[in-house]
Amino acid sequence: MNKYAPIGIFDSGYGGLTVLAEIKKHLPQYDYLYLGDNARAPYGTRSFDVVYDYTLDAVNELFSRGCELVILACNTASAKALRTIQQQDLPKIDVNKRVLGVIRPSAEEIGTITKTGNVGILATEGTVRSESYVLELDKHAPNVNVFQQACPMWVPIIENQKYQTAAGKLFIQEDIKELMRQNPQIDTILLGCTHYPIIQPYIESIVGPDVRVVAQGPIVAQKLDEYLKRHIDMEQRCSKSGAITYLTTENKDVFNKKAGHFLGEQISAIHVKI
Ligand code: DGL
């Protein structure tokens, strides 16, 4: 029998749950270890160095708990920390372990969906400023025009479940309007923050039926499946008993309540210090 080697799924808070939900639907056989750094979220407005340090802490925690493969299910961490971790840290930590992000797989897909060639990205300030989507789309879909809108209030609004209040709705509407004002021909919007699918129906109701709103979860799940098929050695190292464990750096009762709400099922998390 394989030793316990879950696939690690990391996010600053609750957003990665939208990715985990799709991954477990698509690949239910694997074990998963989710880590939310809720005590230090949100990451979106933090500097490059801070996001890198926090993300490396999280990756090390997941490695120390048996993960061979970690997915940064957070765009901000993928934008600001992934490359340094892959190039600088992994060779020192363990050359056989892997850390993957969510920006590249999304950029590979989004260019195939748009018909007008105008794509909007809604994301945190950190992700927008990093220009990661502009750079990745330039590589994978050079003919696509990219328009970005930072939504600094959305993660706090979502985490505090204020998206159904008048004030919460106003912030969301304003940012979408700003994005569409940049180019009314935008026909595809990528939710470039893993928290945003939680409010996807509301976003869709604002942009209307002619604009396709794309969440990353299904894309990441599909790409992970393809990755594991291409990397048989890694696939064999990942343990398969279908178990999901949740870790949070915040109070576990608060996490259980909110995560349960976002996932639509009750969970029981473990508190960790990282
Ligand atoms: N879910 C994270 C992302 O995809 C949110 C970052 C934050 O904590 O602000 O970017």
Side-chain angles (χ1 to χ4, degrees):
M1 235 226 350
N2 258 7
K3 75 172 171 47
Y4 177 62
I7 297 174
I9 310 278
F10 167 69
D11 182 48
S12 60
Y14 300 100
L17 295 172
T18 65
V19 176
L20 173 64
E22 293 297 331
I23 292 179
K24 73 170 181 170
K25 236 193 271 167
H26 203 86
L27 300 165
Q29 66 273 39
Y30 297 101
D31 295 323
Y32 297 101
L33 183 58
Y34 184 87
L35 170 58
D37 189 9
N38 302 78
R40 304 190 292 194
Y43 280 13
T45 45
R46 294 191 189 273
S47 68
F48 183 97
D49 289 348
V50 170
V51 173
Y52 162 67
D53 285 344
Y54 287 2
T55 306
L56 185 58
D57 289 344
V59 166
N60 278 324
E61 180 67 30
L62 289 165
F63 282 166
S64 77
R65 289 172 180 263
C67 297
E68 295 287 324
L69 172 65
V70 170
I71 315 281
L72 302 184
C74 174
N75 290 266
T76 313
S78 300
K80 295 188 169 194
L82 179 62
R83 183 189 274 262
T84 316
I85 291 176
Q86 284 176 332
Q87 293 181 352
Q88 191 179 296
D89 299 299
L90 270 184
K92 286 186 253 165
I93 300 170
D94 186 335
V95 289
N96 295 314
K97 294 193 189 266
R98 291 287 176 271
V99 180
L100 306 173
V102 289
I103 293 183
R104 190 163 145 200
S106 308
E108 283 171 2
E109 279 309 296
I110 201 78
T112 66
I113 299 172
T114 175
K115 299 217 164 36
T116 64
N118 297 298
V119 165
I121 311 282
L122 295 167
T124 66
E125 225 170 275
T127 300
V128 167
R129 276 218 222 107
S130 74
E131 298 268 303
S132 297
Y133 274 106
V134 178
L135 297 170
E136 285 296 330
L137 272 157
D138 194 41
K139 276 188 230 157
H140 301 288
N143 297 328
V144 164
N145 302 313
V146 189
F147 302 91
Q148 304 191 90
Q149 177 64 33
C151 312
M153 294 303 292
W154 288 24
V155 169
I157 286 172
I158 291 168
E159 296 231 325
N160 295 299
Q161 290 165 260
K162 297 286 183 208
Y163 43 88
Q164 272 150 353
T165 65
K169 284 181 173 172
L170 197 67
F171 276 111
I172 297 165
Q173 285 165 16
E174 275 306 306
D175 286 327
I176 293 173
K177 252 193 240 156
E178 281 302 317
L179 176 69
M180 296 309 289
R181 211 173 281 153
Q182 292 183 49
N183 187 333
Q185 299 306 312
I186 291 170
D187 70 344
T188 307
I189 294 178
L190 176 73
L191 304 181
C193 170
T194 54
H195 281 70
Y196 299 174
I198 291 166
I199 54 168
Q200 185 165 349
Y202 184 57
I203 299 169
E204 284 169 339
S205 76
I206 296 170
V207 296
D210 296 338
V211 178
R212 172 109 178 253
V213 178
V214 180
Q216 295 174 295
I219 297 174
V220 175
Q222 178 61 35
K223 297 281 178 181
L224 176 61
D225 190 1
E226 290 165 16
Y227 176 88
L228 291 169
K229 286 192 174 115
R230 278 199 316 274
H231 297 85
I232 299 300
D233 176 55
M234 176 58 81
E235 198 284 329
Q236 285 173 349
R237 277 188 281 149
C238 295
S239 58
K240 300 166 192 75
S241 61
I244 305 180
T245 305
Y246 297 88
L247 307 173
T248 176
T249 56
E250 245 297 348
N251 176 293
K252 64 178 170 42
D253 298 328
V254 175
F255 183 87
N256 290 343
K257 199 161 163 227
K258 289 196 186 175
H261 173 83
F262 295 135
L263 285 169
E265 65 182 81
Q266 270 201 334
I267 59 144
S268 179
I270 300 164
H271 170 77
V272 283
K273 271 202 171 107
I274 62 174

